[in-house]
């Protein structure tokens, strides 16, 4: 298993799929083992994917200092990986919560990023609040699904502040373009693949600096792809359009029928979009 030492000595691991110029891939979760990304629907046929296990996840070691799980602290780990790979500039691809890390890295080290692909990114790191009515409207796009009535009732309860584990489980279908066996297996594996302690600290006080990050991104010189899923409840297209706004050279693509993991919903379309951008 390829690995290297972070600047604080923590041993970190990554997985490599494919050949060619590297793309560092940052998982979401937050703090979920990169295994859930697979090879991003076959993207490894076109580029060398460097799937990073963030500290305390996957094959990477647990750090001595748990506060180093904080998102802003992880920026140094991404820089250490770039140095380890011997790349002066590297393309970055980040999913969900990993986008908050990628955005901070791009803001701090803009000269080290060639292209930045943000896949259904979490909007928290840049201070975007997704209104409840936008989430509900996105959910209603699924009204013809057999599971919709129960899932929508649970979503309304969550929106009203009546939150239970049963409600959260009931709305899981809203995060997938197809709530099939593959999607259900992905959900079932989440508990085993995520470091809960690290996830709780990822967004701790001071982890995000939205105003400073947006200001830095307005000066970011490289091309950016923001890829949204049409029916993604987590990162709905209106919020993704706002996310793309600060970047001088951003392209927003909405993948039809896709949820939060668009490479699972229509792999060929996801790969075609991403390869075109990365080229």
């Amino acid at each position: 298993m390829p690995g290297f030492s972070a600047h604080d000595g923590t041993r970190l691991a990554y997985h490599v799929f494919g050949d060619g110029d590297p793309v560092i891939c940052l998982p979401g979760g937050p703090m979920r083992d990169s295994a859930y990304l697979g090879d991003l629907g076959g993207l490894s046929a076109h580029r060398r994917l460097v799937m990073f296990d963030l500290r305390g996840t996957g094959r990477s070691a647990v750090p001595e200092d748990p506060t180093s799980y904080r998102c802003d602290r992880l920026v140094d780990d991404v820089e250490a990986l770039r140095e380890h790979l011997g790349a002066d500039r590297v393309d970055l691809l980040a999913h969900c919560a990993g986008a908050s890390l990628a955005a901070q890295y791009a803001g701090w080290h803009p000269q080290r990023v060639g292209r930045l692909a943000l896949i259904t990114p979490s909007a928290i790191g840049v201070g975007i609040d997704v209104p409840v009515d936008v989430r509900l409207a996105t959910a209603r796009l699924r009204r013809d699904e057999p599971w919709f009535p129960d899932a929508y009732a649970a979503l309304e309860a969550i929106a009203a502040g009546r939150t239970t584990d049963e409600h959260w489980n009931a709305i899981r279908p809203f995060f997938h373009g197809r709530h099939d066996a593959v999607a259900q297996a992905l959900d079932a594996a989440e508990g085993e693949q995520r470091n809960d302690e690290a996830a709780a600290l990822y967004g701790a006080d001071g982890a995000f600096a939205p105003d400073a990050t947006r200001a830095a991104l307005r000066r970011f010189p490289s091309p950016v792809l923001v890829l949204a899923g049409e029916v993604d409840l987590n990162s709905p297209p209106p919020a993704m359009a706002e996310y793309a706004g600060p970047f001088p050279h951003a392209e927003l693509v909405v993948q039809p029928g896709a949820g939060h993991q668009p490479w699972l919903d229509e792999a060929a379309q996801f790969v075609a979009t991403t390869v075109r951008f990365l080229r």
Side-chain angles (χ1 to χ4, degrees), residues 35-253:
Y36 84 94
L37 295 172
D39 78 336
L40 290 171
L43 187 60
S44 62
H46 305 273
R47 291 290 297 270
R48 177 159 56 109
L49 305 183
V50 179
M51 301 295 192
F52 192 15
D53 284 345
L54 302 176
R55 57 179 53 216
T57 72
R59 299 296 183 89
S60 289
V62 172
E64 292 184 5
D65 177 8
T67 66
S68 65
Y69 287 135
R70 216 172 66 173
C71 181
D72 59 322
R73 300 279 300 277
L74 295 173
V75 171
D76 284 344
D77 289 353
V78 180
E79 177 64 359
L81 175 55
R82 181 199 63 78
E83 293 170 350
H84 167 75
L85 295 173
D88 183 60
R89 286 161 60 89
V90 68
D91 292 339
L92 278 183
L93 182 150
H95 175 240
C96 187
S100 296
L101 174 55
Q104 292 207 50
Y105 181 84
W108 294 9
H109 302 285
Q111 74 283 4
R112 299 303 188 186
V113 181
R115 289 175 176 264
L116 178 61
L118 303 174
I119 311 302
T120 58
S122 166
I124 294 174
V126 292
I128 295 173
D129 181 40
V130 183
V132 170
D133 62 332
V134 170
R135 296 197 196 274
L136 292 173
T138 303
R140 287 194 293 272
L141 297 174
R142 316 298 297 280
R143 61 172 58 88
D144 293 331
E145 300 279 2
W147 44 261
F148 176 82
D150 290 342
Y152 192 75
L155 183 61
E156 288 184 308
I158 291 171
R162 302 189 304 275
T163 303
T164 67
D165 289 343
E166 289 75 15
H167 289 140
W168 285 112
N169 287 329
I171 69 169
R172 283 186 177 273
F174 282 125
F175 295 93
H176 303 283
R178 294 192 304 271
H179 195 234
D180 55 14
V182 173
Q184 292 173 48
L186 185 76
D187 288 343
E190 183 176 0
E192 297 179 358
Q193 292 178 340
R194 188 182 64 239
N195 181 328
D196 289 335
E197 178 191 13
L201 292 169
Y202 184 81
D205 288 347
F208 307 127
D211 292 342
T213 299
R214 283 197 304 270
L217 298 182
R218 282 193 286 270
R219 302 187 296 271
F220 186 63
S222 299
V224 177
L225 170 67
V226 177
L227 195 155
E230 179 187 19
V231 296
D232 180 12
L233 191 68
N234 187 81
S235 309
M240 297 300 93
E242 186 178 353
Y243 196 114
F247 294 102
H249 309 291
E251 172 188 8
L252 172 67
V253 174

